[in-house]
Amino acid sequence: MLEDLHRTTLERAHELQWELEGRLSHLQPEIEAKLADLQFHRDAMPALPPLPPLPQIPFEFDWFSGGGDLPEAHGALHRLRPQQGTPEDSLYRGAREALNRGEWARAASLFQSLEQKYPKSRVAPAALYYQAFALYRSGSSEQLRAAVEALKAQQQRYPEAAADPDAGALRTRLYAALAARGDAQAAAAVRAASATGPTCDEEEIAVRAEALNALAQLDPEGAAVALKKVLARRDECSVTLRRRAVYLLGRTGTEQATADLLEVVRNDPDPSVKSDAISLLGRSSHPSVTPRMLEQLFNESPDERTRQAVLSALRSRGGPEGRRALRGIIERTDLPERLRAQAISQLAGSSTSWVVLAGVRGAAGVVGVAPTPTPTPGARRAEPSLEEEDAAFLRALYSKTDSRTIKSAILSAVGRSGGPANEAWLLTIVSNPSEDSSLRREALSRLKGSAILVEELGKLFDALSDRELRSAVVSQLRNRDEAAATDKLINIAQSSTDPHIRSYAIQALSRKKDPKAITFIRELVEKP
């Protein structure tokens, strides 16, 4: 039994990890660009005086929100709170504590008492709702009917609150539970509610999703039939079930499962279901799943989310063919710039190698690395790195495009990859006075500080005229331990004609423990 529980826990963990990775991969380019801007402006900004203390503002702390076994809230009922310090406040808190602990009978009694004692309280409508919910959780037929009566009382006394979607959802759930136990009136109420449109019981859907998992473990053959029936549905309420079915299909890895996933990609109307299927296809080792097939899916789909999933799948496939497909997408000028930028980011993440630090500084000041196909003693896992062919492709594309979005994505990808050729290329962007100043700043922020000799940083500072670019160089000098970095900062603080830059250089010197920095600052302060 413990083995089954352990296996189920691992499977759920893998499922959640897969879903999270798929969603984050779509956001990766935007996150990286914003982080780069944040890092640059933080480094370039001079120290600010401390802010005055914030005034003490009283507030109501929602200490009982979340947790426990409370219903999912979509309306305004769950936001109703009693006035602090009032008698109903104490009673309401006690009732909510009981609800959080699953003490259904006590919670129902407390909420009923609150509404009876304080019918004019602003939480009285919510008290009747939570009373009904606690009775529903208790689960006997008598308690279910009592819950229906509590909601009827709410409708009579507080009609506005009774129109809340949470109250409507609970009412439908109560009728469904009673109908399942043979209550004809409840069954008629369920039919009347369904005639007005589909209602999705999220609690029931979650239970059925767990049932799919259990069936896949207990009866794989029977599960295959059930999965096909689930995936054949097209209603919005079954989206969660279909996504779970897609995951279970992808886990099998069979030829039939691969064919079923392709069917989902081509025919399911929901973008989230389709993108999940594509992500699993990208991770599949089945020989029928090729980069060309994924590229075809990209070309056939008009939906951007589906195309984003294909880009992520191509990154997962990697290899020469996968990278070729990504380069082809990047070159397409008929695609939205945002999508091309995401393809650039995925290209940069499609190759990860093991590296051994050689500890030798070359002529350009770059620490040498030696790629190896398998881990060796002293090796570590590197950041996702561009193959040189791909890096050269992006560097050449930079000069051919006028799109700032594409250029920014290239700077990000090349900067993350590092290496002598990429660092030298970034330096040419920074040093080019005809280049857009914001792109020059971004290129400078992408340079790895340890990859540039301090002397080169000094020459770069002298060649620049833009304040923000010079501030960024000062920031890099601040983080260098070499004596030459202190010397250059002293030179900047002495000779710069921009007081902002001089002040920033002094701040950088204040972080160094070099005696020369201390002597310079003291002499500057004592200067007559």
Side-chain angles (χ1 to χ4, degrees):
M1 186 173 187
L2 287 175
E3 291 181 357
D4 291 341
L5 177 61
H6 179 63
R7 183 173 62 253
T8 302
T9 303
L10 284 177
E11 289 171 350
R12 290 301 308 279
H14 290 158
E15 177 186 357
L16 291 172
Q17 178 184 2
W18 161 71
E19 289 187 1
L20 182 60
E21 287 177 356
R23 294 177 186 178
L24 288 179
S25 67
H26 303 331
L27 299 175
Q28 184 178 352
E30 181 179 353
I31 292 173
E32 288 176 349
K34 290 186 181 298
L35 286 176
D37 286 343
L38 177 63
Q39 178 66 36
F40 170 76
H41 289 295
R42 187 188 70 179
D43 290 343
M45 183 180 294
L48 296 174
L51 293 172
L54 292 173
Q56 295 298 315
I57 302 175
F59 65 96
E60 294 188 8
F61 178 63
D62 185 13
W63 59 271
F64 43 64
S65 64
D69 192 22
L70 298 183
E72 287 196 26
H74 303 283
L77 280 173
H78 75 289
R79 293 193 293 271
L80 295 176
R81 300 288 182 266
Q83 184 178 352
Q84 286 187 320
T86 60
E88 64 261 36
D89 178 37
S90 176
L91 184 54
Y92 187 71
R93 288 169 181 259
R96 289 294 295 259
E97 284 182 344
L99 198 65
N100 276 321
R101 289 195 296 265
E103 299 173 359
W104 310 123
R106 181 169 179 268
S109 176
L110 289 173
F111 280 119
Q112 182 182 29
S113 176
L114 189 154
E115 197 275 333
Q116 291 174 347
K117 289 182 178 180
Y118 309 103
K120 295 184 178 180
S121 169
R122 60 189 178 190
V123 295
L128 284 172
Y129 167 75
Y130 285 120
Q131 177 194 351
F133 177 78
L135 290 167
Y136 166 71
R137 277 287 191 259
S138 295
S140 71
S141 296
E142 181 181 352
Q143 289 162 328
L144 292 176
R145 293 188 182 95
V148 171
E149 291 303 315
L151 289 181
K152 286 181 179 178
Q154 183 199 50
Q155 195 167 22
Q156 293 169 358
R157 298 171 199 169
Y158 316 100
E160 291 185 3
D164 189 282
D166 294 335
L170 180 56
R171 187 180 298 107
T172 301
R173 190 174 292 173
L174 286 166
Y175 285 140
L178 286 168
R181 301 180 187 192
D183 189 313
Q185 289 184 338
V190 171
R191 286 193 296 271
S194 63
T196 62
T199 56
C200 301
D201 189 331
E202 296 176 4
E203 187 175 283
E204 178 66 18
I205 292 294
V207 171
R208 293 179 66 185
E210 289 300 326
L212 270 181
N213 277 345
L215 185 62
Q217 295 176 28
L218 297 172
D219 182 14
E221 291 185 5
V225 176
L227 290 176
K228 280 186 174 293
K229 290 182 179 179
V230 168
L231 291 173
R233 296 178 60 174
R234 294 294 179 261
D235 57 296
E236 292 184 8
C237 294
S238 67
V239 167
T240 299
L241 281 176
R242 301 204 308 270
R243 294 186 70 184
R244 182 63 58 86
V246 162
Y247 167 74
L248 293 172
L249 269 180
R251 193 175 63 180
T252 63
T254 63
E255 184 174 356
Q256 183 57 51
T258 301
D260 290 340
L261 287 175
L262 281 171
E263 185 73 14
V264 170
V265 172
R266 293 190 171 101
N267 297 315
D268 197 283
D270 186 83
S272 67
V273 179
K274 294 171 71 171
S275 61
D276 285 355
I278 291 171
S279 296
L280 284 166
L281 285 172
R283 298 172 185 222
S284 171
S285 60
H286 198 274
S288 64
V289 181
T290 65
R292 288 191 181 279
M293 184 200 75
L294 293 171
E295 192 175 10
Q296 182 180 356
L297 289 177
F298 182 94
N299 294 332
E300 291 175 351
S301 175
D303 176 67
E304 185 166 335
R305 180 167 181 174
T306 303
R307 286 180 157 185
Q308 289 171 346
V310 172
L311 296 179
S312 178
L314 286 170
R315 180 202 62 190
S316 300
R317 300 298 295 179
E321 278 299 300
R323 298 198 305 275
R324 176 206 59 76
L326 284 169
R327 291 197 301 270
I329 291 169
I330 292 167
E331 288 182 307
R332 288 180 53 179
T333 57
D334 61 314
L335 295 175
E337 290 182 350
R338 181 174 61 255
L339 203 59
R340 295 173 65 201
Q342 289 173 352
I344 291 170
S345 179
Q346 302 292 13
L347 180 65
S350 63
S351 174
T352 305
S353 57
W354 290 87
V355 297
V356 180
L357 296 182
V360 178
R361 185 172 293 278
V366 181
V367 176
V369 295
T372 57
T374 55
T376 60
R380 64 176 176 81
R381 189 71 167 173
E383 294 278 335
S385 176
L386 285 164
E387 299 287 341
E388 177 52 32
E389 178 186 7
D390 300 326
F393 162 78
L394 291 179
R395 296 194 301 263
L397 179 63
Y398 186 93
S399 61
K400 299 175 185 176
T401 182
D402 294 326
S403 166
R404 196 203 179 291
T405 301
I406 301 302
K407 286 189 172 185
S408 178
I410 291 173
L411 292 174
S412 173
V414 171
R416 278 192 298 149
S417 185
N422 291 328
E423 298 288 350
W425 178 77
L426 287 171
L427 273 174
T428 64
I429 301 298
V430 176
S431 305
N432 184 0
S434 62
E435 185 62 81
D436 181 90
S437 60
S438 63
L439 291 170
R440 294 172 73 191
R441 291 195 297 271
E442 186 168 349
L444 182 57
S445 72
R446 298 295 182 183
L447 281 167
K448 295 177 173 61
S450 60
I452 314 171
L453 292 174
V454 171
E455 290 76 9
E456 292 174 344
L457 279 174
K459 292 177 182 178
L460 181 61
F461 179 91
D462 295 337
L464 297 172
S465 59
D466 185 285
R467 171 186 282 181
E468 290 192 23
L469 284 170
R470 284 184 161 184
S471 296
V473 174
V474 169
S475 176
Q476 296 225 18
L477 290 169
R478 177 193 63 194
N479 297 323
R480 298 295 289 267
D481 296 329
E482 296 94 322
T486 302
D487 293 340
K488 183 60 183 177
L489 286 172
I490 291 174
N491 174 262
I492 293 170
Q494 283 176 328
S495 60
S496 176
T497 58
D498 185 337
H500 174 97
I501 295 297
R502 292 184 69 194
S503 297
Y504 195 37
I506 291 170
Q507 291 170 25
L509 286 168
S510 69
R511 296 184 56 178
K512 294 184 174 292
K513 305 203 185 246
D514 192 319
K516 288 188 292 184
I518 299 173
T519 300
F520 168 75
I521 294 174
R522 183 186 300 116
E523 290 176 350
L524 184 62
V525 171
E526 297 175 352
K527 186 177 180 180

